[in-house]
Amino acid sequence: MKFAIIIPFYNAENRLELSVESIIKQSYGFTENIQILLVNDGSTDKSGNIADSLVRKHPQNIYQIHIKNGGPARARNIGLMHVRKDIDFVGFLDADDVYSLHMIREMAHFAETHTQVNMMVPPFYYLDDWGTRKKIGAHKLNTRFEQGSRVVNILEDYKAIHFYIGGTFLRFDRLKQLAFDESLHFGEDQLLITKLLLDDEEYGVVADVGYFYYRDMKEKGSLVNKSWQDKSRYQPFLEAVYQTYLHDSKAKFGTVIPYVQYLISYHAKLYFYKEHVYFKEVLTEAEQADFVTAFQRIFSEIEERYVWELDTMQPVKEMMLSLRKNGWPVRFETAPLVDIPVVTLRKKWRPNGHAELFSDIEESRVALPEKSFFAAKTLFSTKRAVVEKRSEDQLIWNVVVRPAGTIRTAKIRLRPWELRGKWFYQNENRKVELEHFRLTAELRQRVKRRLKLKRALNQ
């Protein structure tokens, strides 16, 4: 089985060679089985020279294609035009990311045993670099891989969404029927992927490999911010991408299937994350109204429960549902309080052997109910959490979603001999266990996972 890897690049001198080397070093047999297509999208730095050097070293396997700067969609489409006829699968790699050592070997094995599958994806890992490669984190969508390598049916497992091209492998014969939309500045990859998945209804997840995405916050942070300062990222994107999902789903299934509802909900939450500050800066009031109106129209076809199921902060969900209900102008509504506070649980390990448990309060609460508290019961004692309140307003689009003075978190500090026990909430009527924790064992497992990932990266 033979593979072509397309790498579009623009001014990628810092890591282009590292990305290509992660393909050359593959355990599958580079010379016999792999073609690399380097699409130079009008670079003005030294990356073109680096690509030339790689071509000279491997003239039978690596090709550089020079084009005028036209964006990633055009670069990928031109790359596809140069794929050899004997290629079975085409993979996509960004010019500053890398594959784990056995990526292509495992993709080939999966494709040989699942001949009906046209798309395969690996787990996705963030790697904070700054030259050290110390911090590795898993993408939230990696939960798809917890059951091991398998075929996902999107009609049965609607939360197993996939929408990014990095690390994705597509059957070449299937790709010949598709193309990246060159009119789009954002989302051209997810549009193609979702069209394919709505047609095929299934794809493969290959668990024991890794796609590593470098996050240099100084460089990439500025690029991310720049993307949110583009007006086409707002109402035009909703119409071109989300509206197409709705149309294609109804055309095939007669309804907006749960997979599409959850996909749109999951992706749309980005408008309310830290980049939300640009909403007011970039758009005029009329453009803000157009965006919110388009958002309301799209989300009128999405059930509320798919928003509530998102793994994100409750104020974000409340803002999404407020827009769905109220449209323009923005009228934010908090959800009613419930008997047991909605919380997000997290932990922090300290170098001195101490640890902290956090219950981040999701709802807008000024105080816990009378005689209510969070606590941890260990072998030695029961410790109540300290409640901390916000010192300033929490904002989305300059709208106050959590006022100063509302509870932010309930925090418990544990000493080295208190790292095992039960974390619970108690009110006047009942006691609810939140989690049985074994922090030493959890930390050990966490370290093992990180070492395994680092070995996969550095092999």
Side-chain angles (χ1 to χ4, degrees), residues 10-61:
Y10 173 76
N11 290 354
E13 63 181 15
N14 290 339
R15 296 200 181 98
L16 177 61
E17 187 170 7
L18 187 68
S19 298
V20 175
E21 286 293 332
S22 78
I23 304 172
I24 294 172
K25 294 177 181 178
Q26 287 290 306
S27 60
Y28 187 60
F30 172 69
T31 303
E32 303 85 0
N33 303 307
I34 302 172
Q35 175 192 26
I36 299 177
L37 296 162
L38 302 175
V39 186
N40 188 339
D41 194 16
S43 296
T44 57
D45 67 354
K46 297 177 182 178
S47 52
N49 295 334
I50 294 170
D52 285 337
S53 175
L54 291 165
V55 171
R56 286 194 295 271
K57 291 178 183 177
H58 306 278
Q60 302 304 314
N61 298 85

Side-chain angles (χ1 to χ4, degrees), residues 218-262:
K218 293 180 181 178
E219 293 184 12
K220 289 199 171 183
S222 61
L223 294 175
V224 169
N225 291 345
K226 186 176 180 181
S227 74
W228 288 98
Q229 295 174 52
D230 189 324
K231 290 180 185 288
S232 65
R233 187 68 177 81
Y234 295 88
Q235 185 261 343
F237 178 89
L238 300 188
E239 300 288 359
V241 179
Y242 295 169
Q243 197 65 55
T244 300
Y245 294 167
L246 298 175
H247 174 271
D248 290 354
S249 178
K250 288 186 283 188
K252 178 171 183 181
F253 302 102
T255 187
V256 182
I257 61 173
Y259 178 90
V260 169
Q261 296 191 51
Y262 190 75

Side-chain angles (χ1 to χ4, degrees), residues 205-386:
V205 295
V206 182
D208 294 326
V209 287
Y211 182 95
F212 292 88
Y213 167 86
Y214 280 96
R215 294 196 302 182
D216 185 329
M217 308 312 278
K218 293 180 181 178
E219 293 184 12
K220 289 199 171 183
S222 61
L223 294 175
V224 169
N225 291 345
K226 186 176 180 181
S227 74
W228 288 98
Q229 295 174 52
D230 189 324
K231 290 180 185 288
S232 65
R233 187 68 177 81
Y234 295 88
Q235 185 261 343
F237 178 89
L238 300 188
E239 300 288 359
V241 179
Y242 295 169
Q243 197 65 55
T244 300
Y245 294 167
L246 298 175
H247 174 271
D248 290 354
S249 178
K250 288 186 283 188
K252 178 171 183 181
F253 302 102
T255 187
V256 182
I257 61 173
Y259 178 90
V260 169
Q261 296 191 51
Y262 190 75
L263 170 63
I264 293 175
S265 301
Y266 183 95
H267 194 268
K269 67 184 181 180
L270 297 175
Y271 287 102
F272 313 99
Y273 276 16
K274 60 183 179 180
E275 292 86 3
H276 68 76
V277 294
Y278 294 107
F279 180 75
K280 294 279 188 177
E281 295 180 11
V282 172
L283 304 181
T284 66
E285 188 169 342
E287 290 166 338
Q288 293 172 34
D290 289 341
F291 173 83
V292 171
T293 300
F295 189 97
Q296 182 185 36
R297 183 169 60 252
I298 289 166
F299 270 78
S300 68
E301 302 197 54
I302 293 174
E303 297 175 44
E304 286 190 14
R305 73 183 184 95
Y306 296 108
V307 176
W308 284 118
E309 289 176 5
L310 295 174
D311 180 15
T312 192
M313 300 179 295
Q314 185 163 319
V316 169
K317 302 175 191 178
E318 291 171 346
M319 176 61 87
M320 294 173 72
L321 293 174
S322 295
L323 299 186
R324 179 184 185 274
K325 176 183 176 182
N326 301 320
W328 181 264
V330 177
R331 296 185 296 281
F332 179 75
E333 297 182 9
T334 59
L337 300 180
V338 295
D339 182 40
I340 306 299
V342 178
V343 298
T344 299
L345 308 178
R346 58 188 175 93
K347 311 171 184 74
K348 182 182 290 185
W349 288 267
R350 297 289 184 181
N352 60 3
H354 292 66
E356 289 176 313
L357 303 178
F358 296 87
S359 292
D360 294 324
I361 311 299
E362 296 281 354
E363 302 162 301
S364 184
R365 289 180 179 267
V366 177
L368 295 176
E370 189 177 356
K371 298 181 181 179
S372 300
F373 57 88
F374 290 90
K377 180 177 176 56
T378 70
L379 293 173
F380 302 95
S381 64
T382 297
K383 303 182 72 168
R384 291 197 183 191
V386 175

